[in-house]
């Protein structure tokens, strides 16, 4: 059981918009800790997609955006492309565990 | 461009010790935290622990009794030891750098370790 909760799967057609939620608690997201998002394409290592809840590293398309409110955060992907298919993980810091925690991951399928 | 490369045995026997090394190139190991993360086959990511270049460590409470992470700044390397392994420790092990906004901004390609006799 992951400390952060994500839906197991989401799907959308090419060109559409999808969102992936990440729900935590008052010891992590709700305590004000930043949320980071990672993309893991099949057979590869995770790659940083969003940091500090809203920011994109250099080279990440602006089709990807992050938001945060209360004890939850979301990743939005617009203009879905076949190459976006993979697993997406959220991550924050938890004060009770005194370390980083991850969501269970969400598998994105592009129909 | 910072690059991380994990190395170590791909097969470890039950009850033995798993040992991996992460070699950092293209940048200094100094002034950063370095994490070990693992991913069992078909499952999600799990934090193992981290180390600051000065040597201070933090471990996942669920693994703390079995984990040791160390750093060798002269070799730009971070190492992981996990003792008394079982099949449940079979996973891809990643090292990652704490960077942008305290995110994990650089990852190694991962090292698959299988625990089996």
């Amino acid at each position: 059981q992951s400390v952060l909760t994500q839906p197991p799967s989401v799907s959308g057609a090419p060109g559409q918009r999808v969102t992936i939620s990440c729900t935590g608690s008052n010891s992590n997201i709700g305590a004000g800790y930043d949320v980071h998002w990672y993309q893991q394409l099949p057979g590869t290592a995770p790659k940083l997609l969003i940091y500090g809840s809203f920011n994109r590293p250099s080279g990440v398309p602006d089709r990807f955006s992050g938001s945060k409110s209360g004890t939850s955060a979301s990743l939005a992907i617009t203009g879905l492309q076949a190459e976006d298919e993979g697993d997406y993980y959220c991550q924050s810091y938890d004060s009770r565990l005194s370390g980083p925690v991850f969501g269970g991951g969400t598998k994105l399928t592009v129909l | 461009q910072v690059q991380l490369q994990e190395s170590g045995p791909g097969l470890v026997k039950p009850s033995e010790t798993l040992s991996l090394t992460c070699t950092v190139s293209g940048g200094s190991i100094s002034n950063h935290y370095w994490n070990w993360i693992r991913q069992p086959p078909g499952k999600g990511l799990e934090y193992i622990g981290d180390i600051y270049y000065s040597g201070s460590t933090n471990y996942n409470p669920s693994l703390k009794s079995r984990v040791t992470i160390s750093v060798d700044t002269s070799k730009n390397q971070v190492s992981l030891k996990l003792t008394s392994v079982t099949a449940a420790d079979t996973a891809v092990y990643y090292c990652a750098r704490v960077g942008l906004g305290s995110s994990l901004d650089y990852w190694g390609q991962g090292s698959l370790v299988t625990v089996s006799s």
Side-chain angles (χ1 to χ4, degrees):
Chain A
Q1 193 79 354
S2 301
V3 174
L4 305 179
T5 301
Q6 297 179 234
S9 63
V10 297
S11 62
Q16 284 190 333
R17 178 181 186 269
V18 296
T19 61
I20 299 173
S21 61
C22 175
T23 302
S25 67
N26 289 329
S27 64
N28 42 69
I29 300 175
Y33 294 108
D34 279 328
V35 178
H36 316 298
W37 291 90
Y38 304 91
Q39 176 193 57
Q40 187 174 34
L41 301 178
T44 69
K47 168 194 164 187
L48 179 64
L49 204 59
I50 298 288
Y51 70 94
S53 303
F54 318 103
N55 306 293
R56 283 185 307 276
S58 173
V60 173
D62 60 7
R63 302 188 296 106
F64 297 91
S65 63
S67 64
K68 176 187 160 189
S69 178
T71 58
S72 296
S74 289
L75 172 71
I77 310 172
T78 58
L80 264 185
Q81 299 179 3
E83 67 204 50
D84 298 332
E85 199 163 88
D87 297 320
Y88 292 79
Y89 293 89
C90 61
Q91 180 244 312
S92 187
Y93 179 89
D94 191 279
S95 58
R96 276 187 295 169
L97 298 176
S98 296
V101 289
F102 289 94
T106 298
K107 183 176 182 61
L108 169 63
T109 301
V110 181
L111 303 170
Chain B
Q1 178 80 338
V2 175
Q3 292 186 315
L4 288 68
Q5 176 80 49
E6 302 91 348
S7 59
L11 181 64
V12 180
K13 289 182 169 56
S15 80
E16 295 190 346
T17 297
L18 178 160
S19 296
L20 292 172
T21 298
C22 173
T23 302
V24 180
S25 59
S28 174
I29 208 165
S30 298
N31 301 312
H32 286 283
Y33 284 87
W34 302 87
N35 276 232
W36 284 98
I37 307 292
R38 71 180 182 179
Q39 184 173 35
K43 296 189 178 181
L45 303 169
E46 180 183 28
Y47 165 74
I48 299 171
D50 63 67
I51 189 165
Y52 193 46
Y53 79 102
S54 61
S56 62
T57 55
N58 184 55
Y59 300 129
N60 185 326
S62 69
L63 298 169
K64 188 172 185 175
S65 63
R66 299 194 290 132
V67 174
T68 302
I69 297 176
S70 58
V71 63
D72 186 335
T73 54
S74 68
K75 295 182 179 178
N76 248 24
Q77 290 180 334
V78 178
S79 295
L80 169 70
K81 289 190 187 302
L82 182 65
T83 62
S84 305
V85 297
T86 69
D89 295 310
T90 293
V92 176
Y93 286 75
Y94 295 101
C95 59
R97 189 187 82 165
V98 178
L100 293 171
S102 297
S103 68
L104 300 170
D105 61 354
Y106 286 98
W107 294 66
Q109 89 285 354
S111 180
L112 174 62
V113 179
T114 302
V115 178
S116 175
S117 55

